[in-house]
Amino acid sequence: MKRQIKFLNCSVILIMLLTVSARGNDYPWPKYKMIDFDSFSAYFDAMIPHFKVSLDPSNAKAAYDHFGAKAFPALKAYLANNDYNVRFHAYMHLLNFIWLAKTDVERQSMYLAFIQGLNDPEEGISQYVARRMNTFGEQIFTEEARRFIYTKLKAGPKNYHSYQHVILAAGMLRSNEVIPILKGINDDFSRFALARMGDKQSLNVLLAKYPTEPMARDMEGRLYWKLKYLAYTKQPEAIDLLIKYLYSDAMQPGGEDYPPEYLAGWAAETLTELIGDSSVKDYEGRSSDNIERCRAWVRKNYKKEEIQTLFQGEIRRWD
């Protein structure tokens, strides 16, 4: 009788585990290996029920490494799938593929496919793409990508949260063609874009909004994001202000959902996204250790006249 009860208990537990797995609430993926799949499509179809798989970049890397040049063409078909979740998975994988691409030509082709997501009918996808389209640097833009971004800029906003990032992308194009449109928009995002292109008047208007000894309550919105936009301009005056914040002892007051933190931590995290030196980028974050690493890097390397060489990275976290 005891054996029967023990067997029944084990059976119930097994059924419960299988039920949870079927719902996709656990994380069973480590049981699988890419060698188990004879094609990228077989992998992707098996992965779709498990949302966390797409959130883990190591899975996209494993797929890209295993299927090689066949991965991207196979993935493109899923970008047009009728199912929202399938498309979202596809765009998450494509984002990682761009970082993993082995050649500039492949990376640029992937990027062009990625930004088409701005046209997706679901805002969840179009905003996901918009917030990540400016993380790769100006060398990612082919002529076709440049024309696409210009067209989106000229068309105006369907969703302003996404359009803000189109505006920032336009600033990275460094094209005289976008200047009249940006000046016509006449808001802070267009000024950041113009500042990226070297417009000192726009930059000065923006810098005036950053207090000399800033605290969060002195600025509209979270200070963190204000620093991101400041860094995006890559202008000497903006970098100088970020470095001043890096050496500040000021605290950013906390709120209902977040504790007070040192302003220097926010500045360090922002600057490390721009710094091409891996000794600093390996320690991204707002920790005291990262603050000291960033300060040491600045003391050793910072020269205004070498900003474009020193700060080759782009802001990678816009949300």
Side-chain angles (χ1 to χ4, degrees):
M1 184 66 177
K2 287 183 179 179
R3 284 185 180 179
Q4 187 176 6
I5 292 173
K6 185 176 181 181
F7 174 77
L8 287 172
N9 286 340
C10 291
S11 299
V12 169
I13 292 171
L14 178 61
I15 291 171
M16 289 174 66
L17 289 172
L18 291 173
T19 302
V20 171
S21 179
R23 290 175 181 173
N25 291 330
D26 65 344
Y27 192 30
W29 197 251
K31 298 177 184 177
Y32 299 92
K33 296 180 180 179
M34 290 300 154
I35 199 172
D36 296 329
F37 305 105
D38 58 8
S39 69
F40 177 84
S41 296
Y43 150 76
F44 199 84
D45 291 339
M47 174 274 305
I48 287 171
H50 308 292
F51 186 77
K52 289 183 179 179
V53 175
S54 287
L55 296 178
D56 185 347
S58 66
N59 293 307
K61 183 179 187 308
Y64 181 82
D65 289 344
H66 182 71
F67 296 108
K70 297 179 181 179
F72 174 49
L75 180 63
K76 287 175 71 174
Y78 291 96
L79 300 175
N81 192 282
N82 290 329
D83 188 296
Y84 166 80
N85 288 322
V86 172
R87 295 200 309 279
F88 208 118
H89 275 291
Y91 277 105
M92 284 193 288
H93 268 62
L94 182 53
L95 177 70
N96 286 301
F97 280 10
I98 296 172
W99 290 112
L100 296 166
K102 293 180 171 58
T103 68
D104 288 342
V105 171
E106 184 182 33
R107 184 175 296 107
Q108 290 167 343
S109 179
M110 291 176 177
Y111 178 78
L112 183 60
F114 183 73
I115 59 177
Q116 304 305 312
L118 293 172
N119 290 331
D120 195 278
E122 294 286 347
E123 285 189 359
I125 291 176
S126 62
Q127 290 190 38
Y128 175 85
V129 170
R131 289 169 178 164
R132 291 156 180 82
M133 66 183 290
N134 299 322
T135 60
F136 303 105
E138 297 173 11
Q139 70 281 359
I140 198 78
F141 301 128
T142 59
E143 185 57 35
E144 191 174 355
R146 294 170 69 88
R147 295 310 304 170
F148 179 83
I149 292 168
Y150 173 77
T151 300
K152 299 300 290 184
L153 177 72
K154 189 175 180 180
K158 289 184 178 179
N159 176 294
Y160 193 70
H161 293 293
S162 295
Y163 191 63
Q164 292 168 354
H165 296 279
V166 172
I167 292 172
L168 297 177
M172 295 171 69
L173 298 181
R174 299 184 184 275
S175 167
N176 290 335
E177 195 174 22
V178 304
I179 293 176
I181 302 174
L182 293 173
K183 288 187 174 180
I185 295 170
N186 193 33
D187 67 2
D188 279 353
F189 286 96
S190 62
R191 281 187 277 273
F192 278 115
L194 289 165
R196 171 79 179 225
M197 298 172 67
D199 186 320
K200 295 301 182 184
Q201 183 177 356
S202 295
L203 179 62
N204 289 336
V205 170
L206 294 166
L207 289 174
K209 300 185 178 188
Y210 289 80
T212 305
E213 292 295 335
M215 301 293 275
R217 60 174 172 267
D218 296 327
M219 309 177 76
E220 295 179 6
R222 292 291 299 277
L223 175 59
Y224 180 48
W225 303 120
K226 295 291 185 179
L227 297 190
K228 295 278 187 178
Y229 297 121
L230 193 65
Y232 153 87
T233 69
K234 293 191 176 182
Q235 296 300 311
E237 299 87 344
I239 300 298
D240 277 349
L241 187 55
L242 280 170
I243 291 173
K244 182 173 184 177
Y245 293 173
L246 178 66
Y247 283 91
S248 171
D249 292 326
M251 292 287 289
Q252 178 185 358
E256 293 182 2
D257 302 321
Y258 52 94
E261 295 186 86
Y262 280 105
L263 172 61
W266 291 109
E269 182 171 278
T270 302
L271 283 167
T272 53
E273 293 191 49
L274 298 186
I275 294 171
D277 189 329
S278 62
S279 66
V280 179
K281 285 190 71 66
D282 285 347
Y283 298 94
E284 292 178 336
R286 300 186 296 277
S287 68
S288 58
D289 285 346
N290 192 50
I291 292 172
E292 290 307 315
R293 289 187 188 96
C294 198
R295 287 174 175 173
W297 184 93
V298 167
R299 287 193 296 271
K300 180 180 178 181
N301 298 288
Y302 181 56
K303 297 177 183 178
K304 281 188 181 182
E305 63 272 17
E306 297 180 6
I307 280 181
Q308 296 304 318
T309 302
L310 293 173
F311 299 100
Q312 294 185 3
E314 299 289 345
I315 297 301
R316 294 183 63 169
R317 293 181 56 202
W318 286 105
D319 60 355

